[in-house]
Amino acid sequence: MMDPEVSVLLHCAHWRGLLEYQVQVELSERFNRQTDVALERHIDELWTKRVSKEPWLFNGAKFRLHSFCLAPLQNLPSTPSSRSTILHHTEDPDNQRWEDLGDIRNRCINQPENTEGASPHDCRELNGIADEPSLHSGPILTLRLGLTCYKDYLGTNWSGGVAELRQRGEAKFRDPLALLAQPLGVGAVLCTSDGQVVMIRRSQRVAEAGGLLDIPGGHPEPKAVCERLGQILCAQISVATMETEPEAIVSELFFSVCAEIRDEVNIPLSSLGPPILMGIALNHTSAGRPSAEFYVSCCLSSDEVRKLYSKGGVEASESTEVIFVSRTEVLQLDKSSPLWSELCPSAKGAVLLYQTVKPDVASDRSGQGDAELTPT
């Protein structure tokens, strides 16, 4: 299934999704957005105009997804095409292993207006999925992150000059994404104990996709990481503050998706299972903005969730109603489904990953097929 609004950059179907201990982060200023004087002037002008109309806007710091690395898989054929699937960024002068990995960045992450080149399920091949699961004692996925901010996002990904920024990035840095903010979001396919996936209808007052159905989501916050490390002031949000504590960034990535569920749906954290990272989806309505999509189980029924939602959460103003869609229906959703047109891009990306990864189905090692996990 192809949809011009969304595509899948990475999926973790090989492992039925990844838990927190299987993910690590490398934070570096090398992974920040590139820039020049003209672009900074343009960003400042756009921000000034936007704030004059919406003075409540806050320029919060965000993590910028630069690239990722998957640990080598057992039995992965040593062909040029399979080698190129391990990473999606090839420019790393510090590691020769990155230099001959082909053009996966162009084939997967750089799908701007036209995504017909590869469907989400084609990314199984692009991401080097082997036929049989392999055990791995250490981290499987490394996310290479820099820092960006909401102001830079509005002035790059969300600006009208994305095509020109891509061309300049390619010409100057050999990377069409080099000048884009690319803030990393998070989202959750939240499943209740009675097999219902929780969706919320976005308020018409939100900045993007007003009135459409969405999943709970938001962003991991650098500020929250700095606070945990004892650096409270916003002025102290920097790569230098956090780069020696990558585990804190991973913890924020996994915790932030649960915090969004709590704040948007009003479900207590104690009712949620551990988040399972399904992969990363790209929103092409905002120049391929990446979002890490998770599966989160809930020990509450849909009726219990509905009652909690009706009481209102911290971010209740961002949505107008809660919708429940059966797990079976979500697994069967496609472009011909009436519900598909009601989904915003972030929800579409999460659904595509859920259909591919199936994190609530455990692989049967005895060779007799898969066994569905029953919510408890």
Side-chain angles (χ1 to χ4, degrees):
M1 176 173 58
M2 291 180 286
D3 188 304
E5 291 187 342
V6 67
S7 66
V8 167
L9 170 65
L10 161 74
H11 72 67
C12 304
H14 181 77
W15 304 276
R16 302 290 191 194
L18 302 179
L19 295 171
E20 184 173 335
Y21 78 93
Q22 296 172 301
V23 179
Q24 63 184 3
V25 160
E26 181 183 355
L27 183 72
S28 171
E29 291 183 353
R30 292 184 297 131
F31 307 141
N32 289 352
R33 177 180 63 86
Q34 301 290 338
T35 190
D36 55 40
V37 175
L39 178 55
E40 291 308 303
R41 187 185 307 115
H42 174 71
I43 291 173
D44 287 340
E45 290 173 355
L46 286 181
W47 179 252
T48 301
K49 290 179 182 178
R50 185 71 179 263
V51 172
S52 67
K53 297 178 181 178
E54 304 170 67
W56 57 85
L57 289 179
F58 172 69
N59 184 29
K62 307 295 178 188
F63 290 108
R64 178 182 189 267
L65 179 65
H66 172 274
S67 52
F68 67 85
C69 172
L70 286 174
L73 303 180
Q74 294 179 6
N75 304 320
L76 188 65
S78 57
T79 63
S81 61
S82 66
R83 286 205 316 273
S84 70
T85 64
I86 300 302
L87 307 174
H88 77 82
H89 195 282
T90 61
E91 299 172 16
D92 184 357
D94 299 325
N95 191 338
Q96 183 68 30
R97 198 163 57 91
W98 287 64
E99 293 182 0
D100 63 344
L101 294 176
D103 63 344
I104 189 169
R105 190 174 182 84
N106 293 326
R107 289 188 289 146
C108 201
I109 193 170
N110 288 328
Q111 296 180 14
E113 292 75 15
N114 183 359
T115 59
E116 295 182 357
S119 73
H121 296 285
D122 290 334
C123 284
R124 173 182 298 272
E125 178 182 352
L126 294 180
N127 291 323
I129 302 304
D131 292 333
E132 295 294 332
S134 60
L135 299 178
H136 197 283
S137 58
I140 291 171
L141 173 66
T142 299
L143 299 176
R144 294 191 155 197
L145 305 179
L147 287 181
T148 186
C149 63
Y150 186 59
K151 172 184 174 181
D152 287 0
Y153 165 69
L154 292 181
T156 59
N157 287 66
W158 198 241
S159 73
V162 170
E164 192 264 341
L165 288 177
R166 284 178 176 273
Q167 292 172 359
R168 285 167 57 190
E170 179 65 45
K172 190 171 182 178
F173 303 102
R174 293 188 301 165
D175 178 4
L177 301 180
L179 297 172
L180 301 184
Q182 295 297 93
L184 178 63
V186 294
V189 171
L190 174 64
C191 193
T192 64
S193 62
D194 52 345
Q196 300 292 309
V197 173
V198 180
M199 295 188 177
I200 51 179
R201 189 171 299 279
R202 294 172 62 85
S203 167
Q204 292 288 358
R205 293 182 293 179
V206 297
E208 300 176 40
L212 296 179
L213 290 179
D214 201 359
I215 56 172
H219 295 85
E221 301 291 347
K223 180 180 179 181
V225 176
C226 290
E227 288 175 346
R228 290 177 194 165
L229 298 177
Q231 304 292 335
I232 306 298
L233 300 179
C234 291
Q236 295 174 305
I237 296 177
S238 67
V239 168
T241 302
M242 295 179 285
E243 64 183 345
T244 59
E245 301 287 345
E247 297 85 1
I249 302 173
V250 177
S251 293
E252 168 61 12
L253 177 66
F254 277 75
F255 173 78
S256 64
V257 72
C258 293
E260 294 293 345
I261 293 171
R262 175 197 62 197
D263 295 344
E264 295 183 5
V265 192
N266 201 33
I267 297 176
L269 296 177
S270 59
S271 298
L272 302 176
I276 300 173
L277 177 62
M278 298 185 294
I280 298 172
L282 302 178
N283 180 347
H284 296 292
T285 66
S286 51
R289 179 183 58 182
S291 182
E293 307 295 355
F294 295 81
Y295 170 82
V296 180
S297 62
C298 176
C299 66
L300 304 176
S301 69
S302 53
D303 285 340
E304 290 171 315
V305 170
R306 182 181 287 107
K307 291 175 182 176
L308 287 171
Y309 176 85
S310 66
K311 296 178 180 179
V314 175
E315 298 178 1
S317 62
E318 296 184 4
S319 64
T320 58
E321 64 175 326
V322 65
I323 304 292
F324 298 95
V325 184
S326 72
R327 174 186 176 276
T328 301
E329 183 177 355
V330 171
L331 287 171
Q332 296 174 349
L333 276 179
D334 58 30
K335 290 180 67 176
S336 66
S337 308
L339 183 62
W340 188 259
S341 62
E342 288 195 66
L343 300 181
C344 66
S346 56
K348 290 178 179 179
V351 167
L352 291 176
L353 280 166
Y354 181 64
Q355 292 174 339
T356 303
V357 178
K358 297 181 178 64
D360 46 358
V361 175
S363 180
D364 183 354
R365 304 283 180 175
S366 68
Q368 302 192 7
D370 293 334
E372 184 174 341
L373 294 180
T374 328
T376 57

